[in-house]
Structures are given as structure tokens and as C-alpha cells.
Amino acid sequence: DIADFNVISGMVKQSGRYYIFGTLAWYVLGGLAIQRLRVGDALYVSATVKAFSPDAGSNVAYPTTTPAQAEVYLNAGDSVHLGAGVWGGSGNKMIYGLTQSITTMLSFRRVD
């Protein structure tokens, strides 16, 4: 298993309502993968989960992306995190970053 961990994060400079969007390029053999958007605390594990992707499924033998998105009010200094975890039976479990055709990314923009 690969425990749920922070992949990408950023910090909000101005208070306001934010639209957050994240995608993770991943590849799973013999396990289940999920991504989470967390906000608030600078520590990923202490931040509040605001959205998560549907499970990518087991035995996905090719890179795929599943988006997660949320719209939330954040204060200046709050952190925005895109995290991931993979778990399941034995076998290879991998999370890829950038590839030629699929991108791991986190974006957030102020909407008010």
C-alpha cells in the first residue's frame, strides 16, 4: 500500500471563495487508488477533505486521470492540497507524475 499523502500543495494569498480542481495521473495494478482535495491546515493529514475522486478501479493497466473539484471559502494563509493513496492486495502499485499524454495538476482560483 501507498498511504494517503500530499502530492502537490499551494498557499492562498487572499481570503475569498475559491474553485479548486485537481487531477492525478496514475497507474494501478492489483489495487485501488483515490485522490483527495484537502484545505486549511498546512499539514496534509490535518487539513479538511473537501472532495475526492471516484476510485480509479483495480487492475487499471494504463495511465488514467480522475478529477476532483470543490468550491470553498478560504482564508489568507490556508493551504490547498492534492493528495493520493493506493491500497489493495500484493503486486505493483505506482503513482506517476507527468507523462507525455497525461498531467498531474492542482489549480485554484478566486471566484469572488
Side-chain angles (χ1 to χ4, degrees):
D1 294 346
I2 299 174
D4 188 17
F5 70 102
N6 186 33
V7 176
I8 304 171
S9 64
M11 183 182 291
V12 172
K13 300 273 186 178
Q14 294 179 328
S15 297
R17 190 154 204 76
Y18 283 82
Y19 173 74
I20 307 166
F21 180 82
T23 60
L24 188 70
W26 52 29
Y27 181 134
V28 181
L29 294 173
L32 303 174
I34 194 165
Q35 72 181 33
R36 292 185 175 92
L37 291 175
R38 293 179 181 246
V39 299
D41 200 286
L43 295 173
Y44 177 76
V45 296
S46 300
T48 304
V49 175
K50 289 298 180 182
F52 56 90
S53 68
D55 171 48
S58 60
N59 297 313
V60 176
Y62 52 88
T64 186
T65 58
T66 308
Q69 57 190 357
E71 191 171 315
V72 296
Y73 185 88
L74 297 171
N75 294 311
D78 282 349
S79 293
V80 178
H81 305 277
L82 172 66
V86 179
W87 55 91
S90 63
N92 295 330
K93 295 168 188 69
M94 297 172 277
I95 297 176
Y96 283 86
L98 300 177
T99 70
Q100 292 179 356
S101 60
I102 299 174
T103 303
T104 296
M105 55 87 67
L106 172 66
S107 69
F108 53 99
R109 65 181 166 85
R110 196 164 164 229
V111 293
D112 75 346

